[in-house]
Amino acid sequence: MPATTLADLFTWGSEGWSKALLLGLAVTLACASIGYALGIVFGFCVALAKLGRSAILRALASVYTTLLRGVPPLLVIFLLFFGTNGALMWIARGFGYTGYIEVDAFTVGVLAVCLVTAAYSSEVFRSAYEAVPKGQFEAFAALGLRPVPGLWTVVLPQMLRLAFPGLGNVWIMAIKETTLLSVISLAELMRVVGLAGRTTGQPFVFYGVAALLYFLLVGASSRLLRTLEARMRWA
Amino acid sequence: MDLESALHVFTELASALWMTLALAAATLPLGFVMAGLATWARRSRHALVRRPADFYVLAFRSTPLLVQIFILYYGLSQFSWLRDSYAWFVLRDPFACAVIAMSLCTGAYTAEVMRGGLAAVPSGVVEAARALGFSPMKTFFLVTAPIAVRRALPTYGNEAVVTLKATSLACTITVMELTGVAKDLMGQSFAVIEIFCMVASIYLAINMILMIGFKRFELFLTPQYERTERKMSL
């Protein structure tokens, strides 16, 4: 084991690991936030399909959420990792392109976070919609608003406020899910920490640092969410 | 996929299924015990007992499970005194490490479920029992616990499903359970979608059995006069 002190391990520069750790953290945050943002939008669409009138869309949406919520996220990641190249090449062949297409780990990671987030957030949106009191629907109809502007101006704001805590939980889940992306060699925090542990022979120190960083990230997120939630209540 | 490779996939998945079930079967009771201890400690009068238990629940709920597994399996190997001790017989075994880490994690979440169940017990019932001269011990086991268990059971069922899904992380430390075997099979063949569908349906089937089991148990625990149409439907 190299006789280095803790301070040497975390210097800023080529022989220390601080820079690499921060880069890993940045990749983690980027992957989680892009995947989460896309996932919420997609999840909202899935929720619309669930609440809509079309039976086919309703069935598709419910199959989607049951599948994505019932299967380990790691399995979804493996499906995307091994499956997207083939699927894209199959589609491209339909357009007459026969070359090789490769999707990088970051895209797969964002896609994985997006799909899982969409499944969970669609349930959050759906139950928030159902929790809006029936009187509100009757009220906008009585005021002469058509369904679309009524839902948009009366129901949606109340629904978003009800969905907020659930969406916060999904965000924390998205952060935790990014750790799984280290298995498809995306250079996020877990991957960097594993590499650092193997190189320096001090895996406990580095995994400990990762645990601390995730702890702070989740702690800061939930504190921020609680503050926003309290502010919304009085708005 | 031809018949031969389908048979190969089936035999591989069948043995992996047992590993997944073994992980879940070892983790759930251990996690339940951890949660019970943590809940007992968190309700203690002494801050010295309460604080560490609170910290345990907070720490394990706010760090990803993968980090916990890696600290236990890869991280602890850094210490040579630990490698020389008897504990190493357990800690060098990936299956044992996975079970310990997952039990600690699910224990923290389950402790939160138990707290919710206990908080849902009406205080009047407890006071009534005390007024009738029940000892605190008797009050807890005959009055508080039965109500709390019934209240917490649906949430605990969800936690059991989460634990089942969490067993997939064991494949990152070389325990070959369903997801790990699926990964190898997907890497070998081009039948990625087919293998995913098979493994996914296995997971969904186990989930469904767990959910129905918990629903049945909940119904069994609900006294006759509290049973409603909705609960009877399953």
Side-chain angles (χ1 to χ4, degrees), chain A residues 13 23 57 65 88 99 126 131 140 153 190 193 218:
Chain A
L23 269 175
L57 281 181
T65 33
L88 276 184
R126 190 189 55 81
F140 81 66
T153 53
M190 273 311 268
V193 156
V218 170

Side-chain angles (χ1 to χ4, degrees), chain A residues 21-39:
Chain A
L21 286 175
L22 272 185
L23 269 175
L25 190 65
V27 173
T28 290
L29 275 175
C31 196
S33 47
I34 298 173
Y36 179 75
L38 293 174

Side-chain angles (χ1 to χ4, degrees), chain A residues 208 211-212 215-216, chain B residues 34 38-39 41-42 47-63 68 104-105 107-109 111-112:
Chain A
L212 190 69
F215 184 83
L216 292 176
Chain B
M34 273 313 294
T39 307
R42 287 169 97 194
L48 216 59
V49 181
R50 216 165 48 223
R51 289 271 166 72
D54 277 333
F55 181 72
Y56 156 70
V57 173
L58 179 70
F60 277 81
R61 270 164 44 95
S62 23
T63 49
Q68 296 160 18
L104 287 170
C105 185
Y109 281 96
E112 213 47 25

Side-chain angles (χ1 to χ4, degrees), chain A residues 5-21:
Chain A
T5 61
L6 279 184
D8 290 339
L9 287 177
F10 295 107
T11 49
W12 187 269
S14 54
E15 64 271 19
W17 285 94
S18 288
K19 204 172 177 179
L21 286 175

Side-chain angles (χ1 to χ4, degrees), chain A residues 77-160:
Chain A
I77 290 172
F78 286 140
L79 168 74
L80 294 173
F81 183 64
F82 291 110
T84 38
N85 286 346
L88 276 184
M89 281 196 303
W90 184 74
I91 294 169
R93 218 166 292 138
F95 288 105
Y97 178 78
T98 49
Y100 187 75
I101 303 173
E102 183 152 332
V103 183
D104 64 341
F106 187 78
T107 315
V108 172
V110 167
L111 201 58
V113 174
C114 166
L115 290 181
V116 175
T117 300
Y120 282 90
S121 62
S122 76
E123 278 298 290
V124 172
F125 282 127
R126 190 189 55 81
S127 56
Y129 176 83
E130 281 167 1
V132 174
K134 280 284 152 294
Q136 300 290 334
F137 293 81
E138 290 159 9
F140 81 66
L143 285 171
L145 281 169
R146 286 172 180 285
V148 172
L151 288 174
W152 184 259
T153 53
V154 177
V155 178
L156 189 69
Q158 302 185 52
M159 175 187 149
L160 288 183

Side-chain angles (χ1 to χ4, degrees), chain B:
Chain B
M1 207 192 285
D2 57 19
L3 190 66
E4 198 180 334
S5 53
L7 272 178
H8 170 68
V9 168
F10 271 125
T11 45
E12 291 271 304
L13 289 184
S15 58
L17 171 63
W18 288 115
M19 187 52 99
T20 291
L21 290 179
L23 282 167
T27 302
L28 280 173
L30 274 175
F32 193 84
V33 171
M34 273 313 294
L37 286 174
T39 307
W40 171 75
R42 287 169 97 194
R43 286 165 69 81
S44 163
R45 253 174 299 134
H46 307 287
L48 216 59
V49 181
R50 216 165 48 223
R51 289 271 166 72
D54 277 333
F55 181 72
Y56 156 70
V57 173
L58 179 70
F60 277 81
R61 270 164 44 95
S62 23
T63 49
L65 175 58
L66 194 69
V67 180
Q68 296 160 18
I69 292 178
F70 278 11
I71 285 187
L72 203 65
Y73 186 66
Y74 294 121
L76 290 185
S77 66
Q78 180 183 333
F79 305 109
S80 56
W81 54 267
L82 201 63
R83 284 203 303 274
D84 297 332
S85 75
Y86 286 112
W88 195 243
F89 282 112
V90 177
L91 291 177
R92 72 173 178 199
D93 178 36
F95 183 87
C97 273
V99 168
I100 294 171
M102 289 192 303
S103 305
L104 287 170
C105 185
T106 186
Y109 281 96
T110 310
E112 213 47 25
V113 173
M114 287 181 175
R115 200 187 60 145
L118 287 170
V121 176
S123 56
V125 182
V126 179
E127 281 159 21
R130 297 288 290 135
L132 286 169
F134 280 40
S135 68
M137 197 73 139
K138 234 178 170 178
T139 310
F140 182 80
F141 281 107
L142 293 179
V143 179
T144 312
I147 301 176
V149 165
R150 222 157 58 220
R151 291 284 159 85
L153 207 57
T155 330
Y156 184 65
N158 290 339
E159 184 51 38
V161 170
V162 170
T163 306
L164 176 78
K165 290 194 287 173
T167 58
S168 66
L169 296 194
C171 76
T172 56
I173 53 169
T174 71
V175 179
M176 287 318 277
E177 45 64 69
L178 271 175
T179 302
V181 170
K183 180 202 170 196
D184 283 0
L185 290 171
M186 282 175 180
Q188 286 162 16
S189 73
F190 290 103
V192 177
I193 300 275
E194 287 91 331
I195 291 164
F196 173 80
C197 288
M198 277 191 240
V199 178
S201 44
I202 296 175
Y203 275 111
L204 290 178
I206 309 174
N207 285 350
M208 208 152 80
I209 294 168
L210 272 175
M211 285 317 243
I212 292 175
F214 272 101
K215 264 270 151 55
R216 286 273 164 84
F217 190 50
E218 194 192 337
L219 185 65
F220 170 75
L221 288 178
T222 312
Q224 206 70 50
Y225 60 86
E226 268 188 23
R227 292 187 188 183
T228 56
E229 282 301 313
R230 195 181 55 78
K231 279 185 180 169
M232 298 295 281
S233 65
L234 248 172

